[in-house]
Amino acid sequence: MNKYTFKLKILSIFILPLLSILYFAYISLSIHYKSLQHAYKIQDTSNLTKVLITLVYNLQLERGLGAGYITLKDTKGYKESLKEQFKNTDKIQETFKNIIYSEKYKNLYTNLNYQIKEKIRDVLSTLDSKDKIRKSIIDSSIDFYKEIDYYSNINKQIIYILKLLNYEDNEFYLDSIALNNLENIKEYAGLKRAYIYNQLLSGTNQKSINTLKELSIKEKMSKDRFLSFSSKRAKHVYINNIDKNLNKRLRDCELGLIDGSLDHNMAKQCFQTSTIYIDSLLYVSNKIMDNYILHSKHIEQKSKYTLYTNSTIWIISIIAILILIYILNTMLNAEESYTKKLMIASHAFNAQEAMVITDKHSNIIEINQAFTDITGYSTDDVIGKTPAILKSDQHDKDFFERMWYEITTVGKWQGEIINKKKSGELFTEKLSITAIKDDSNNITNFIAHFLDISDIIDARKKAEYQASHDYLTNSLNKKALLQRLNEEFKKAIRHNFKHAFLFIDLDDFKTVNDTYGHTVGDELIVQVASRLKESIREGDILARLSGDEFAIIILNLDEDKTKRLMDIESICHKILKAISTKFKLNNTMINISSSIGIKQFPSFENNVQDIIRHADMAMYQAKKEGKNQFVFFEHESKSSLGSPK
């Protein structure tokens, strides 16, 4: 007894503190390892971003020089300058390819989402075809507008990639928005440079003047967004590096072209002024990216220091535990024989849960009272038999093969299993089985102990159901809907499925509540939910968002657009008809209607919030158009209206 007490003291003094140190060291290691990986991701993403920004800049300059060269036809020796710019663009393009395909940035490219990868492939494919465009520029055989469209299309794709690149650090969220707005400003400025340069050299036309005015408006809108949503840090860099007088000279070039006061002699000066301005914008973008990288370097240094420190603690703790195990093993050897004799009795009779002891052939040789209380089988019922008398046939052959493989190889197994009582009632038990071995490592007995956790399982299932369903209608609640919508959105992008999201709002429901009371209103909501379930297809998803708002996800629609629209409209007509049919509540007939907003996805949205928002907008359009009808949300705020037949 004294030795046993002494061992308990050793365990309490050494093992528990050491295990605590190991645990907290592990948690700290995990946290700072993730921080280190986050720092690397910021650095890699920042480097990719800087290369893309520089690529856009060179393509813009190539576009501007080409726009003038088409008109000049090399009369003043511009060909060499243009060819030199071709080389500069090719160099940065090669750097971009190296990042995408190099082993160093493998993790970055692997972790990019499918949409970004697809856009990168599109950009590389378009860039590979630029030699043909360049030849037509050198030959002056390409139309100015075709030249503009080609380069603008590439830049548009690259800027969209920059927008999709995700900087997860909240400290730089506003800078991410600022960066995107800066690229838009730079692109509009680059387009204006090309138009002014070309038109001063070739003579103005109304189409180009109108385009120039539109570009000025778009550039100003991007500047306003930049100044409204950027961080103080980004605004400070912008204000200190953008010359107001430079803006005035640019404006003079633009107005001079429009009113005809400038001639071709000013083309080169206006081009240079625009280039200086775009260079300033590029400098601001690079400064923002430098802040990203500096921040990530700080995270990297801090994480590495902590990882080294905690790793040392981890190693020391493991060594201490190994030494302690060796000491305890030496102590246990002296009384091992006595411990083995008590092992079976200790497991069988000192436990509170049900216990079963079998021989090596799985024949039951002992049970305790808890076993009888749970299963209904007495000692006389089970002695000499195997635990298979409890078998419920709820598990297949593979389940038991895996269980016994683990018992015989690892020496123990633990898990949940469904068994059957003597009365035939099924119950779920938390079961642990241990193999007892002799000195020669041969199995002599099996000990199983279990608890009836059926009530816990039932309570868990009930709680899970209540957490995901609306208490009044038993349909999905908003939280569960968002989860399902997110799952279906990701699968739709991955497999090119076509779905539709319906946002349904009851018209004038408040009048029902005010007139008949909330009890009648609740019963009306229940009946509405029932009719909605009957109106949709099996497999479609119905949810109650709040109050009188419902949502439906129509899954797996036809790829053919016409057929898809017909299917959606058919369901919407059924819903409108079902809701507009009179409801009988407390011997009172009540008439209501509904308005439906429809968003097909995936299309142009970035996330599920966009899907819900667009459907909500369409629903309000349906109400505005007179209620009791449905409206499709389409890109760029276009909509199509439907009403019940």
Side-chain angles (χ1 to χ4, degrees), residues 367-406:
I367 63 171
N368 65 356
Q369 183 58 42
F371 179 90
T372 300
D373 294 340
I374 293 174
T375 67
Y377 286 103
S378 66
T379 302
D380 294 338
D381 293 328
V382 299
I383 296 299
K385 299 178 181 178
T386 69
I389 62 171
L390 301 175
K391 190 175 180 181
S392 64
D393 295 324
Q394 298 295 307
H395 304 281
D396 57 19
K397 182 181 178 181
D398 289 340
F399 174 85
F400 290 103
E401 286 180 351
R402 289 193 300 271
M403 180 181 76
W404 281 106
Y405 176 80
E406 190 168 339

Side-chain angles (χ1 to χ4, degrees), residues 169-179 181-182 224-239 284 287-289 291-292:
D169 198 319
N170 291 331
E171 181 180 348
F172 290 93
Y173 174 71
L174 290 178
D175 284 349
S176 298
I177 299 175
L179 189 66
N181 285 322
L182 274 174
D224 291 341
R225 283 195 295 269
F226 173 86
L227 295 173
S228 298
F229 298 108
S230 301
S231 65
K232 291 182 179 179
R233 176 175 49 237
K235 290 179 184 176
H236 180 74
V237 176
Y238 180 86
I239 293 171
V284 174
K287 287 294 290 183
I288 292 175
M289 298 314 305
N291 284 330
Y292 272 113

Side-chain angles (χ1 to χ4, degrees), residues 314-331:
W314 180 273
I315 294 171
I316 292 173
S317 300
I318 291 177
I319 293 172
I321 287 179
L322 292 174
I323 294 173
L324 180 60
I325 290 173
Y326 174 78
I327 294 172
L328 290 176
N329 185 60
T330 303
M331 296 171 58

